[in-house]
Amino acid sequence: MNAGMPRDVAGVGMTSQRTRARMVERLRDAGIRDAQVLAAMGSVPRHLFVDEALASRAYEDTALPIGFGQTISQPYVVARMIEALAAGRELGKVLEVGTGCGYQAAVLAQLAREVYSVERIHALLERARANLRGLRLSKLRMTHGDGNFGLEKAAPFDSIIVAAAAPALPQALLRQLAPDGRMVLPLKSPDASHGAQRLALYERGARGITQTVLEAVRFVPLETGKL
Ligand code: SAH
């Protein structure tokens, strides 16, 4: 046991390495194939990113509330998006829009050369910083801002991942995508009356941008402005 540690970093009981290994097994059963993604999902202590009262549910395949009306993404969706983003190549320099509690940023930091994460809610960003402190992820930089504008000062990015659903592709993000870069984001369907969303994948190839539409998902909305 880690006497004096405020949270269960090493992990016991419902928050142990074994619970995490079972989550990885379920991800594999659900179709996640990328061994590096599975290893990263197995290494990040997800229970540290949710409220202590919810820690025992942290490894269920479900989204959970993180305050401010926001949620931590479901493990399957995090793994699926990162797998689609990587597609077997190196992630390189990554931009994440929507830090939330910092969980996905921590997973990305296991895999990428550099990770920049932008969050519009200042108080949530502070919480993410606190959650991440013990993990000492030197490759990860967090910024308070409106991710609709990307992060000009660090662009271009080899990979861009958006954790909130946009009505349309933010053009600044497309501009900040490097040659051969890939971007994955949830888009609201044009007939969004049912709140339907789909994951979309964009690739910047030699002949321009290609779009592939992936499965249906459910994300909180991509908002505008800072709080
Ligand atoms: N990546 C998180 C998911 C957080 S939910 C995880 O690991 O679970 C989505 C987050 O996107 C919320 O924190 C929300 O505040 C943020 N968000 C919404 N619109 C945004 C915008 N325009 N710029 C930056 N962050 C935004």
Side-chain angles (χ1 to χ4, degrees):
M1 293 293 293
N2 299 283
M5 275 201 179
R7 299 290 297 267
D8 179 15
V9 175
V12 291
M14 283 306 288
T15 54
S16 70
Q17 177 63 46
R18 263 186 35 224
T19 315
R20 209 143 58 231
R22 278 200 295 275
M23 179 187 80
V24 169
E25 276 316 306
R26 287 196 304 273
L27 292 173
R28 199 178 273 125
D29 291 346
I32 305 299
R33 291 280 168 267
D34 188 318
Q36 289 184 23
V37 172
L38 290 168
M41 297 292 295
S43 72
V44 176
R46 184 170 161 93
H47 59 282
L48 297 183
F49 294 86
V50 298
D51 198 80
E52 256 171 301
L54 290 171
S56 65
R57 300 189 56 201
Y59 296 97
E60 292 175 15
D61 199 24
T62 182
L64 294 168
I66 54 173
F68 308 95
Q70 307 302 322
T71 53
I72 180 172
S73 301
Q74 183 191 344
Y76 172 77
V77 173
V78 172
R80 176 75 184 107
M81 284 178 89
I82 299 176
E83 185 174 69
L85 192 62
R89 64 169 191 140
E90 297 292 324
L91 285 173
K93 185 172 22 155
V94 180
L95 173 66
E96 179 193 47
V97 174
T99 316
C101 59
Y103 173 70
Q104 180 171 268
V107 176
L108 288 166
Q110 312 299 314
L111 296 163
R113 190 174 74 238
E114 276 175 279
V115 181
Y116 291 83
S117 187
V118 180
E119 170 58 53
R120 71 183 280 272
I121 303 177
H122 189 259
L124 204 44
L125 191 67
E126 288 306 309
R127 194 173 288 182
R129 284 191 205 282
N131 291 340
L132 288 158
R133 202 157 288 142
L135 299 181
R136 300 184 181 286
L137 301 172
S138 57
K139 297 172 180 177
L140 172 61
R141 286 189 181 77
M142 287 172 277
T143 304
H144 180 220
D146 180 350
N148 282 293
F149 301 109
L151 195 63
E152 195 65 55
K153 65 176 187 199
F157 300 97
D158 304 302
S159 305
I160 300 180
I161 183 164
V162 183
L169 173 66
Q171 289 302 308
L173 296 183
L174 201 53
R175 280 198 301 277
Q176 293 177 19
L177 195 60
D180 297 322
R182 292 165 72 87
M183 164 159 52
V184 65
L185 80 167
L187 287 179
K188 291 182 186 160
S189 304
D191 58 342
S193 50
H194 312 298
Q197 302 172 5
R198 286 199 161 263
L199 279 185
L201 175 72
Y202 292 88
E203 291 173 80
R204 185 185 287 289
R207 288 196 228 119
I209 305 285
T210 56
Q211 188 209 33
T212 313
V213 177
L214 308 172
E215 65 255 49
V217 284
R218 181 170 287 269
F219 277 84
V220 296
L222 186 73
E223 310 278 5
T224 53
K226 292 196 273 183
L227 285 181

